[in-house]
mmCIF file with all atom_site columns, all heavy atoms in Angstrom:
data_model
loop_
_atom_site.group_PDB
_atom_site.id
_atom_site.type_symbol
_atom_site.label_atom_id
_atom_site.label_alt_id
_atom_site.label_comp_id
_atom_site.label_asym_id
_atom_site.label_entity_id
_atom_site.label_seq_id
_atom_site.pdbx_PDB_ins_code
_atom_site.Cartn_x
_atom_site.Cartn_y
_atom_site.Cartn_z
_atom_site.occupancy
_atom_site.B_iso_or_equiv
_atom_site.pdbx_formal_charge
_atom_site.auth_seq_id
_atom_site.auth_comp_id
_atom_site.auth_asym_id
_atom_site.auth_atom_id
_atom_site.pdbx_PDB_model_num
ATOM 1   N N   . THR A 1 446 ? -6.882  -6.552  1.969   1.00 0.00 ? 461 THR A N   1
ATOM 2   C CA  . THR A 1 446 ? -6.235  -5.377  2.564   1.00 0.00 ? 461 THR A CA  1
ATOM 3   C C   . THR A 1 446 ? -7.277  -4.409  3.112   1.00 0.00 ? 461 THR A C   1
ATOM 4   O O   . THR A 1 446 ? -8.446  -4.429  2.726   1.00 0.00 ? 461 THR A O   1
ATOM 5   C CB  . THR A 1 446 ? -5.354  -4.639  1.549   1.00 0.00 ? 461 THR A CB  1
ATOM 6   O OG1 . THR A 1 446 ? -6.195  -4.132  0.492   1.00 0.00 ? 461 THR A OG1 1
ATOM 7   C CG2 . THR A 1 446 ? -4.318  -5.561  0.956   1.00 0.00 ? 461 THR A CG2 1
ATOM 8   N N   . THR A 1 447 ? -6.840  -3.550  4.003   1.00 0.00 ? 462 THR A N   1
ATOM 9   C CA  . THR A 1 447 ? -7.656  -2.458  4.537   1.00 0.00 ? 462 THR A CA  1
ATOM 10  C C   . THR A 1 447 ? -6.896  -1.164  4.316   1.00 0.00 ? 462 THR A C   1
ATOM 11  O O   . THR A 1 447 ? -5.775  -0.988  4.835   1.00 0.00 ? 462 THR A O   1
ATOM 12  C CB  . THR A 1 447 ? -7.939  -2.655  6.034   1.00 0.00 ? 462 THR A CB  1
ATOM 13  O OG1 . THR A 1 447 ? -8.702  -3.865  6.215   1.00 0.00 ? 462 THR A OG1 1
ATOM 14  C CG2 . THR A 1 447 ? -8.746  -1.482  6.577   1.00 0.00 ? 462 THR A CG2 1
ATOM 15  N N   . LEU A 1 448 ? -7.496  -0.276  3.537   1.00 0.00 ? 463 LEU A N   1
ATOM 16  C CA  . LEU A 1 448 ? -6.840  0.982   3.186   1.00 0.00 ? 463 LEU A CA  1
ATOM 17  C C   . LEU A 1 448 ? -7.270  2.084   4.144   1.00 0.00 ? 463 LEU A C   1
ATOM 18  O O   . LEU A 1 448 ? -8.463  2.316   4.345   1.00 0.00 ? 463 LEU A O   1
ATOM 19  C CB  . LEU A 1 448 ? -7.207  1.380   1.752   1.00 0.00 ? 463 LEU A CB  1
ATOM 20  C CG  . LEU A 1 448 ? -6.875  0.387   0.638   1.00 0.00 ? 463 LEU A CG  1
ATOM 21  C CD1 . LEU A 1 448 ? -7.323  0.937   -0.703  1.00 0.00 ? 463 LEU A CD1 1
ATOM 22  C CD2 . LEU A 1 448 ? -5.387  0.074   0.626   1.00 0.00 ? 463 LEU A CD2 1
ATOM 23  N N   . LYS A 1 449 ? -6.297  2.757   4.721   1.00 0.00 ? 464 LYS A N   1
ATOM 24  C CA  . LYS A 1 449 ? -6.587  3.952   5.508   1.00 0.00 ? 464 LYS A CA  1
ATOM 25  C C   . LYS A 1 449 ? -6.833  5.129   4.565   1.00 0.00 ? 464 LYS A C   1
ATOM 26  O O   . LYS A 1 449 ? -6.631  5.023   3.356   1.00 0.00 ? 464 LYS A O   1
ATOM 27  C CB  . LYS A 1 449 ? -5.418  4.254   6.443   1.00 0.00 ? 464 LYS A CB  1
ATOM 28  C CG  . LYS A 1 449 ? -5.140  3.155   7.462   1.00 0.00 ? 464 LYS A CG  1
ATOM 29  C CD  . LYS A 1 449 ? -3.931  3.503   8.321   1.00 0.00 ? 464 LYS A CD  1
ATOM 30  C CE  . LYS A 1 449 ? -3.629  2.400   9.316   1.00 0.00 ? 464 LYS A CE  1
ATOM 31  N NZ  . LYS A 1 449 ? -2.418  2.716   10.135  1.00 0.00 ? 464 LYS A NZ  1
ATOM 32  N N   . THR A 1 450 ? -7.257  6.226   5.138   1.00 0.00 ? 465 THR A N   1
ATOM 33  C CA  . THR A 1 450 ? -7.518  7.419   4.338   1.00 0.00 ? 465 THR A CA  1
ATOM 34  C C   . THR A 1 450 ? -6.283  7.811   3.532   1.00 0.00 ? 465 THR A C   1
ATOM 35  O O   . THR A 1 450 ? -5.180  7.948   4.079   1.00 0.00 ? 465 THR A O   1
ATOM 36  C CB  . THR A 1 450 ? -7.924  8.597   5.239   1.00 0.00 ? 465 THR A CB  1
ATOM 37  O OG1 . THR A 1 450 ? -9.118  8.248   5.933   1.00 0.00 ? 465 THR A OG1 1
ATOM 38  C CG2 . THR A 1 450 ? -8.174  9.854   4.424   1.00 0.00 ? 465 THR A CG2 1
ATOM 39  N N   . GLY A 1 451 ? -6.458  7.959   2.210   1.00 0.00 ? 466 GLY A N   1
ATOM 40  C CA  . GLY A 1 451 ? -5.377  8.380   1.345   1.00 0.00 ? 466 GLY A CA  1
ATOM 41  C C   . GLY A 1 451 ? -4.516  7.265   0.794   1.00 0.00 ? 466 GLY A C   1
ATOM 42  O O   . GLY A 1 451 ? -3.673  7.504   -0.061  1.00 0.00 ? 466 GLY A O   1
ATOM 43  N N   . GLU A 1 452 ? -4.720  6.032   1.242   1.00 0.00 ? 467 GLU A N   1
ATOM 44  C CA  . GLU A 1 452 ? -3.932  4.916   0.739   1.00 0.00 ? 467 GLU A CA  1
ATOM 45  C C   . GLU A 1 452 ? -4.574  4.331   -0.517  1.00 0.00 ? 467 GLU A C   1
ATOM 46  O O   . GLU A 1 452 ? -5.765  4.504   -0.773  1.00 0.00 ? 467 GLU A O   1
ATOM 47  C CB  . GLU A 1 452 ? -3.791  3.836   1.807   1.00 0.00 ? 467 GLU A CB  1
ATOM 48  C CG  . GLU A 1 452 ? -2.925  4.240   2.983   1.00 0.00 ? 467 GLU A CG  1
ATOM 49  C CD  . GLU A 1 452 ? -2.763  3.138   3.996   1.00 0.00 ? 467 GLU A CD  1
ATOM 50  O OE1 . GLU A 1 452 ? -3.596  2.216   4.015   1.00 0.00 ? 467 GLU A OE1 1
ATOM 51  O OE2 . GLU A 1 452 ? -1.801  3.204   4.780   1.00 0.00 ? 467 GLU A OE2 1
ATOM 52  N N   . PHE A 1 453 ? -3.756  3.619   -1.297  1.00 0.00 ? 468 PHE A N   1
ATOM 53  C CA  . PHE A 1 453 ? -4.292  2.934   -2.465  1.00 0.00 ? 468 PHE A CA  1
ATOM 54  C C   . PHE A 1 453 ? -3.607  1.577   -2.614  1.00 0.00 ? 468 PHE A C   1
ATOM 55  O O   . PHE A 1 453 ? -2.559  1.300   -2.032  1.00 0.00 ? 468 PHE A O   1
ATOM 56  C CB  . PHE A 1 453 ? -4.129  3.774   -3.744  1.00 0.00 ? 468 PHE A CB  1
ATOM 57  C CG  . PHE A 1 453 ? -2.712  3.931   -4.219  1.00 0.00 ? 468 PHE A CG  1
ATOM 58  C CD1 . PHE A 1 453 ? -2.114  2.978   -5.027  1.00 0.00 ? 468 PHE A CD1 1
ATOM 59  C CD2 . PHE A 1 453 ? -1.973  5.065   -3.869  1.00 0.00 ? 468 PHE A CD2 1
ATOM 60  C CE1 . PHE A 1 453 ? -0.810  3.125   -5.479  1.00 0.00 ? 468 PHE A CE1 1
ATOM 61  C CE2 . PHE A 1 453 ? -0.670  5.236   -4.309  1.00 0.00 ? 468 PHE A CE2 1
ATOM 62  C CZ  . PHE A 1 453 ? -0.082  4.263   -5.126  1.00 0.00 ? 468 PHE A CZ  1
ATOM 63  N N   . CYS A 1 454 ? -4.241  0.722   -3.400  1.00 0.00 ? 469 CYS A N   1
ATOM 64  C CA  . CYS A 1 454 ? -3.662  -0.568  -3.746  1.00 0.00 ? 469 CYS A CA  1
ATOM 65  C C   . CYS A 1 454 ? -3.743  -0.731  -5.262  1.00 0.00 ? 469 CYS A C   1
ATOM 66  O O   . CYS A 1 454 ? -4.461  0.007   -5.943  1.00 0.00 ? 469 CYS A O   1
ATOM 67  C CB  . CYS A 1 454 ? -4.368  -1.715  -3.025  1.00 0.00 ? 469 CYS A CB  1
ATOM 68  S SG  . CYS A 1 454 ? -6.115  -1.850  -3.407  1.00 0.00 ? 469 CYS A SG  1
ATOM 69  N N   . THR A 1 455 ? -3.027  -1.710  -5.787  1.00 0.00 ? 470 THR A N   1
ATOM 70  C CA  . THR A 1 455 ? -2.898  -1.852  -7.240  1.00 0.00 ? 470 THR A CA  1
ATOM 71  C C   . THR A 1 455 ? -3.237  -3.270  -7.685  1.00 0.00 ? 470 THR A C   1
ATOM 72  O O   . THR A 1 455 ? -2.903  -4.252  -7.009  1.00 0.00 ? 470 THR A O   1
ATOM 73  C CB  . THR A 1 455 ? -1.466  -1.510  -7.686  1.00 0.00 ? 470 THR A CB  1
ATOM 74  O OG1 . THR A 1 455 ? -1.151  -0.190  -7.259  1.00 0.00 ? 470 THR A OG1 1
ATOM 75  C CG2 . THR A 1 455 ? -1.332  -1.587  -9.199  1.00 0.00 ? 470 THR A CG2 1
ATOM 76  N N   . MET A 1 456 ? -3.876  -3.341  -8.844  1.00 0.00 ? 471 MET A N   1
ATOM 77  C CA  . MET A 1 456 ? -4.117  -4.607  -9.540  1.00 0.00 ? 471 MET A CA  1
ATOM 78  C C   . MET A 1 456 ? -3.563  -4.484  -10.954 1.00 0.00 ? 471 MET A C   1
ATOM 79  O O   . MET A 1 456 ? -3.566  -3.406  -11.531 1.00 0.00 ? 471 MET A O   1
ATOM 80  C CB  . MET A 1 456 ? -5.618  -4.905  -9.617  1.00 0.00 ? 471 MET A CB  1
ATOM 81  C CG  . MET A 1 456 ? -6.296  -5.153  -8.285  1.00 0.00 ? 471 MET A CG  1
ATOM 82  S SD  . MET A 1 456 ? -8.100  -5.019  -8.423  1.00 0.00 ? 471 MET A SD  1
ATOM 83  C CE  . MET A 1 456 ? -8.326  -3.266  -8.039  1.00 0.00 ? 471 MET A CE  1
ATOM 84  N N   . ARG A 1 457 ? -3.108  -5.631  -11.502 1.00 0.00 ? 472 ARG A N   1
ATOM 85  C CA  . ARG A 1 457 ? -2.673  -5.670  -12.897 1.00 0.00 ? 472 ARG A CA  1
ATOM 86  C C   . ARG A 1 457 ? -3.456  -6.756  -13.615 1.00 0.00 ? 472 ARG A C   1
ATOM 87  O O   . ARG A 1 457 ? -3.560  -7.891  -13.141 1.00 0.00 ? 472 ARG A O   1
ATOM 88  C CB  . ARG A 1 457 ? -1.182  -5.918  -13.007 1.00 0.00 ? 472 ARG A CB  1
ATOM 89  C CG  . ARG A 1 457 ? -0.322  -4.808  -12.431 1.00 0.00 ? 472 ARG A CG  1
ATOM 90  C CD  . ARG A 1 457 ? 1.118   -4.955  -12.849 1.00 0.00 ? 472 ARG A CD  1
ATOM 91  N NE  . ARG A 1 457 ? 1.296   -4.618  -14.273 1.00 0.00 ? 472 ARG A NE  1
ATOM 92  C CZ  . ARG A 1 457 ? 2.367   -4.956  -14.979 1.00 0.00 ? 472 ARG A CZ  1
ATOM 93  N NH1 . ARG A 1 457 ? 3.326   -5.681  -14.435 1.00 0.00 ? 472 ARG A NH1 1
ATOM 94  N NH2 . ARG A 1 457 ? 2.466   -4.600  -16.245 1.00 0.00 ? 472 ARG A NH2 1
ATOM 95  N N   . ILE A 1 458 ? -4.031  -6.364  -14.765 1.00 0.00 ? 473 ILE A N   1
ATOM 96  C CA  . ILE A 1 458 ? -4.900  -7.258  -15.510 1.00 0.00 ? 473 ILE A CA  1
ATOM 97  C C   . ILE A 1 458 ? -4.331  -7.427  -16.903 1.00 0.00 ? 473 ILE A C   1
ATOM 98  O O   . ILE A 1 458 ? -3.862  -6.456  -17.524 1.00 0.00 ? 473 ILE A O   1
ATOM 99  C CB  . ILE A 1 458 ? -6.340  -6.699  -15.590 1.00 0.00 ? 473 ILE A CB  1
ATOM 100 C CG1 . ILE A 1 458 ? -6.890  -6.498  -14.171 1.00 0.00 ? 473 ILE A CG1 1
ATOM 101 C CG2 . ILE A 1 458 ? -7.239  -7.604  -16.401 1.00 0.00 ? 473 ILE A CG2 1
ATOM 102 C CD1 . ILE A 1 458 ? -6.708  -5.116  -13.611 1.00 0.00 ? 473 ILE A CD1 1
ATOM 103 N N   . SER A 1 459 ? -4.366  -8.676  -17.400 1.00 0.00 ? 474 SER A N   1
ATOM 104 C CA  . SER A 1 459 ? -3.886  -8.942  -18.751 1.00 0.00 ? 474 SER A CA  1
ATOM 105 C C   . SER A 1 459 ? -5.060  -9.318  -19.650 1.00 0.00 ? 474 SER A C   1
ATOM 106 O O   . SER A 1 459 ? -6.086  -9.836  -19.194 1.00 0.00 ? 474 SER A O   1
ATOM 107 C CB  . SER A 1 459 ? -2.861  -10.080 -18.759 1.00 0.00 ? 474 SER A CB  1
ATOM 108 O OG  . SER A 1 459 ? -3.480  -11.313 -18.442 1.00 0.00 ? 474 SER A OG  1
ATOM 109 N N   . PHE A 1 460 ? -4.879  -9.046  -20.952 1.00 0.00 ? 475 PHE A N   1
ATOM 110 C CA  . PHE A 1 460 ? -5.875  -9.389  -21.969 1.00 0.00 ? 475 PHE A CA  1
ATOM 111 C C   . PHE A 1 460 ? -5.204  -10.282 -23.002 1.00 0.00 ? 475 PHE A C   1
ATOM 112 O O   . PHE A 1 460 ? -4.255  -9.864  -23.679 1.00 0.00 ? 475 PHE A O   1
ATOM 113 C CB  . PHE A 1 460 ? -6.420  -8.107  -22.604 1.00 0.00 ? 475 PHE A CB  1
ATOM 114 C CG  . PHE A 1 460 ? -7.314  -8.336  -23.790 1.00 0.00 ? 475 PHE A CG  1
ATOM 115 C CD1 . PHE A 1 460 ? -8.454  -9.120  -23.698 1.00 0.00 ? 475 PHE A CD1 1
ATOM 116 C CD2 . PHE A 1 460 ? -7.022  -7.731  -25.015 1.00 0.00 ? 475 PHE A CD2 1
ATOM 117 C CE1 . PHE A 1 460 ? -9.279  -9.323  -24.795 1.00 0.00 ? 475 PHE A CE1 1
ATOM 118 C CE2 . PHE A 1 460 ? -7.839  -7.926  -26.117 1.00 0.00 ? 475 PHE A CE2 1
ATOM 119 C CZ  . PHE A 1 460 ? -8.967  -8.723  -26.012 1.00 0.00 ? 475 PHE A CZ  1
ATOM 120 N N   . SER A 1 461 ? -5.680  -11.544 -23.106 1.00 0.00 ? 476 SER A N   1
ATOM 121 C CA  . SER A 1 461 ? -5.060  -12.518 -24.018 1.00 0.00 ? 476 SER A CA  1
ATOM 122 C C   . SER A 1 461 ? -6.152  -13.243 -24.810 1.00 0.00 ? 476 SER A C   1
ATOM 123 O O   . SER A 1 461 ? -6.548  -14.370 -24.471 1.00 0.00 ? 476 SER A O   1
ATOM 124 C CB  . SER A 1 461 ? -4.223  -13.535 -23.228 1.00 0.00 ? 476 SER A CB  1
ATOM 125 O OG  . SER A 1 461 ? -3.222  -12.895 -22.463 1.00 0.00 ? 476 SER A OG  1
ATOM 126 N N   . PRO A 1 462 ? -6.667  -12.618 -25.863 1.00 0.00 ? 477 PRO A N   1
ATOM 127 C CA  . PRO A 1 462 ? -7.725  -13.249 -26.653 1.00 0.00 ? 477 PRO A CA  1
ATOM 128 C C   . PRO A 1 462 ? -7.166  -14.365 -27.541 1.00 0.00 ? 477 PRO A C   1
ATOM 129 O O   . PRO A 1 462 ? -6.006  -14.356 -27.930 1.00 0.00 ? 477 PRO A O   1
ATOM 130 C CB  . PRO A 1 462 ? -8.268  -12.097 -27.480 1.00 0.00 ? 477 PRO A CB  1
ATOM 131 C CG  . PRO A 1 462 ? -7.086  -11.188 -27.665 1.00 0.00 ? 477 PRO A CG  1
ATOM 132 C CD  . PRO A 1 462 ? -6.300  -11.280 -26.380 1.00 0.00 ? 477 PRO A CD  1
ATOM 133 N N   . LYS A 1 463 ? -8.016  -15.310 -27.881 1.00 0.00 ? 478 LYS A N   1
ATOM 134 C CA  . LYS A 1 463 ? -7.614  -16.420 -28.746 1.00 0.00 ? 478 LYS A CA  1
ATOM 135 C C   . LYS A 1 463 ? -7.900  -16.138 -30.224 1.00 0.00 ? 478 LYS A C   1
ATOM 136 O O   . LYS A 1 463 ? -7.248  -16.687 -31.106 1.00 0.00 ? 478 LYS A O   1
ATOM 137 C CB  . LYS A 1 463 ? -8.341  -17.707 -28.322 1.00 0.00 ? 478 LYS A CB  1
ATOM 138 C CG  . LYS A 1 463 ? -8.063  -18.121 -26.877 1.00 0.00 ? 478 LYS A CG  1
ATOM 139 C CD  . LYS A 1 463 ? -6.592  -18.388 -26.640 1.00 0.00 ? 478 LYS A CD  1
ATOM 140 C CE  . LYS A 1 463 ? -6.352  -18.878 -25.215 1.00 0.00 ? 478 LYS A CE  1
ATOM 141 N NZ  . LYS A 1 463 ? -4.909  -19.072 -24.929 1.00 0.00 ? 478 LYS A NZ  1
ATOM 142 N N   . THR A 1 464 ? -8.888  -15.281 -30.457 1.00 0.00 ? 479 THR A N   1
ATOM 143 C CA  . THR A 1 464 ? -9.285  -14.970 -31.832 1.00 0.00 ? 479 THR A CA  1
ATOM 144 C C   . THR A 1 464 ? -9.502  -13.476 -31.967 1.00 0.00 ? 479 THR A C   1
ATOM 145 O O   . THR A 1 464 ? -9.514  -12.724 -30.987 1.00 0.00 ? 479 THR A O   1
ATOM 146 C CB  . THR A 1 464 ? -10.581 -15.706 -32.212 1.00 0.00 ? 479 THR A CB  1
ATOM 147 O OG1 . THR A 1 464 ? -11.639 -15.285 -31.337 1.00 0.00 ? 479 THR A OG1 1
ATOM 148 C CG2 . THR A 1 464 ? -10.405 -17.216 -32.114 1.00 0.00 ? 479 THR A CG2 1
ATOM 149 N N   . LEU A 1 465 ? -9.678  -13.020 -33.185 1.00 0.00 ? 480 LEU A N   1
ATOM 150 C CA  . LEU A 1 465 ? -9.986  -11.610 -33.434 1.00 0.00 ? 480 LEU A CA  1
ATOM 151 C C   . LEU A 1 465 ? -11.395 -11.289 -32.927 1.00 0.00 ? 480 LEU A C   1
ATOM 152 O O   . LEU A 1 465 ? -12.267 -12.153 -32.892 1.00 0.00 ? 480 LEU A O   1
ATOM 153 C CB  . LEU A 1 465 ? -9.894  -11.307 -34.930 1.00 0.00 ? 480 LEU A CB  1
ATOM 154 C CG  . LEU A 1 465 ? -8.556  -11.588 -35.620 1.00 0.00 ? 480 LEU A CG  1
ATOM 155 C CD1 . LEU A 1 465 ? -8.653  -11.216 -37.097 1.00 0.00 ? 480 LEU A CD1 1
ATOM 156 C CD2 . LEU A 1 465 ? -7.432  -10.837 -34.941 1.00 0.00 ? 480 LEU A CD2 1
ATOM 157 N N   . GLY A 1 466 ? -11.592 -10.042 -32.519 1.00 0.00 ? 481 GLY A N   1
ATOM 158 C CA  . GLY A 1 466 ? -12.929 -9.638  -32.095 1.00 0.00 ? 481 GLY A CA  1
ATOM 159 C C   . GLY A 1 466 ? -12.907 -8.654  -30.946 1.00 0.00 ? 481 GLY A C   1
ATOM 160 O O   . GLY A 1 466 ? -11.848 -8.146  -30.542 1.00 0.00 ? 481 GLY A O   1
ATOM 161 N N   . ILE A 1 467 ? -14.107 -8.376  -30.445 1.00 0.00 ? 482 ILE A N   1
ATOM 162 C CA  . ILE A 1 467 ? -14.302 -7.448  -29.325 1.00 0.00 ? 482 ILE A CA  1
ATOM 163 C C   . ILE A 1 467 ? -14.727 -8.249  -28.102 1.00 0.00 ? 482 ILE A C   1
ATOM 164 O O   . ILE A 1 467 ? -15.616 -9.102  -28.188 1.00 0.00 ? 482 ILE A O   1
ATOM 165 C CB  . ILE A 1 467 ? -15.358 -6.380  -29.677 1.00 0.00 ? 482 ILE A CB  1
ATOM 166 C CG1 . ILE A 1 467 ? -14.872 -5.536  -30.869 1.00 0.00 ? 482 ILE A CG1 1
ATOM 167 C CG2 . ILE A 1 467 ? -15.642 -5.491  -28.472 1.00 0.00 ? 482 ILE A CG2 1
ATOM 168 C CD1 . ILE A 1 467 ? -15.902 -4.541  -31.362 1.00 0.00 ? 482 ILE A CD1 1
ATOM 169 N N   . TYR A 1 468 ? -14.113 -7.965  -26.964 1.00 0.00 ? 483 TYR A N   1
ATOM 170 C CA  . TYR A 1 468 ? -14.318 -8.736  -25.744 1.00 0.00 ? 483 TYR A CA  1
ATOM 171 C C   . TYR A 1 468 ? -14.767 -7.817  -24.614 1.00 0.00 ? 483 TYR A C   1
ATOM 172 O O   . TYR A 1 468 ? -14.411 -6.631  -24.560 1.00 0.00 ? 483 TYR A O   1
ATOM 173 C CB  . TYR A 1 468 ? -13.024 -9.442  -25.341 1.00 0.00 ? 483 TYR A CB  1
ATOM 174 C CG  . TYR A 1 468 ? -12.560 -10.486 -26.335 1.00 0.00 ? 483 TYR A CG  1
ATOM 175 C CD1 . TYR A 1 468 ? -11.946 -10.105 -27.531 1.00 0.00 ? 483 TYR A CD1 1
ATOM 176 C CD2 . TYR A 1 468 ? -12.746 -11.838 -26.083 1.00 0.00 ? 483 TYR A CD2 1
ATOM 177 C CE1 . TYR A 1 468 ? -11.525 -11.057 -28.448 1.00 0.00 ? 483 TYR A CE1 1
ATOM 178 C CE2 . TYR A 1 468 ? -12.317 -12.801 -26.989 1.00 0.00 ? 483 TYR A CE2 1
ATOM 179 C CZ  . TYR A 1 468 ? -11.713 -12.401 -28.174 1.00 0.00 ? 483 TYR A CZ  1
ATOM 180 O OH  . TYR A 1 468 ? -11.296 -13.352 -29.068 1.00 0.00 ? 483 TYR A OH  1
ATOM 181 N N   . ALA A 1 469 ? -15.554 -8.381  -23.667 1.00 0.00 ? 484 ALA A N   1
ATOM 182 C CA  . ALA A 1 469 ? -16.040 -7.590  -22.534 1.00 0.00 ? 484 ALA A CA  1
ATOM 183 C C   . ALA A 1 469 ? -16.100 -8.452  -21.282 1.00 0.00 ? 484 ALA A C   1
ATOM 184 O O   . ALA A 1 469 ? -16.427 -9.644  -21.336 1.00 0.00 ? 484 ALA A O   1
ATOM 185 C CB  . ALA A 1 469 ? -17.410 -7.011  -22.842 1.00 0.00 ? 484 ALA A CB  1
ATOM 186 N N   . ALA A 1 470 ? -15.803 -7.846  -20.155 1.00 0.00 ? 485 ALA A N   1
ATOM 187 C CA  . ALA A 1 470 ? -15.911 -8.491  -18.848 1.00 0.00 ? 485 ALA A CA  1
ATOM 188 C C   . ALA A 1 470 ? -15.953 -7.380  -17.799 1.00 0.00 ? 485 ALA A C   1
ATOM 189 O O   . ALA A 1 470 ? -16.016 -6.189  -18.140 1.00 0.00 ? 485 ALA A O   1
ATOM 190 C CB  . ALA A 1 470 ? -14.748 -9.452  -18.606 1.00 0.00 ? 485 ALA A CB  1
ATOM 191 N N   . LYS A 1 471 ? -15.925 -7.766  -16.526 1.00 0.00 ? 486 LYS A N   1
ATOM 192 C CA  . LYS A 1 471 ? -15.924 -6.756  -15.470 1.00 0.00 ? 486 LYS A CA  1
ATOM 193 C C   . LYS A 1 471 ? -15.182 -7.277  -14.250 1.00 0.00 ? 486 LYS A C   1
ATOM 194 O O   . LYS A 1 471 ? -15.104 -8.492  -14.010 1.00 0.00 ? 486 LYS A O   1
ATOM 195 C CB  . LYS A 1 471 ? -17.349 -6.357  -15.082 1.00 0.00 ? 486 LYS A CB  1
ATOM 196 C CG  . LYS A 1 471 ? -18.151 -7.469  -14.428 1.00 0.00 ? 486 LYS A CG  1
ATOM 197 C CD  . LYS A 1 471 ? -19.543 -6.990  -14.064 1.00 0.00 ? 486 LYS A CD  1
ATOM 198 C CE  . LYS A 1 471 ? -20.362 -8.123  -13.427 1.00 0.00 ? 486 LYS A CE  1
ATOM 199 N NZ  . LYS A 1 471 ? -21.734 -7.676  -13.095 1.00 0.00 ? 486 LYS A NZ  1
ATOM 200 N N   . ILE A 1 472 ? -14.644 -6.343  -13.492 1.00 0.00 ? 487 ILE A N   1
ATOM 201 C CA  . ILE A 1 472 ? -14.046 -6.635  -12.194 1.00 0.00 ? 487 ILE A CA  1
ATOM 202 C C   . ILE A 1 472 ? -15.070 -6.263  -11.128 1.00 0.00 ? 487 ILE A C   1
ATOM 203 O O   . ILE A 1 472 ? -15.646 -5.167  -11.158 1.00 0.00 ? 487 ILE A O   1
ATOM 204 C CB  . ILE A 1 472 ? -12.747 -5.843  -11.984 1.00 0.00 ? 487 ILE A CB  1
ATOM 205 C CG1 . ILE A 1 472 ? -11.697 -6.248  -13.030 1.00 0.00 ? 487 ILE A CG1 1
ATOM 206 C CG2 . ILE A 1 472 ? -12.203 -6.059  -10.580 1.00 0.00 ? 487 ILE A CG2 1
ATOM 207 C CD1 . ILE A 1 472 ? -10.437 -5.411  -12.954 1.00 0.00 ? 487 ILE A CD1 1
#
Side-chain angles (χ1 to χ4, degrees):
T461 64
T462 297
L463 302 179
K464 298 178 181 178
T465 299
E467 291 182 339
F468 69 85
C469 60
T470 303
M471 295 164 269
R472 295 193 72 197
I473 302 94
S474 69
F475 172 57
S476 302
K478 301 299 183 183
T479 61
L480 302 180
I482 298 175
Y483 295 76
K486 66 180 179 181
I487 297 175

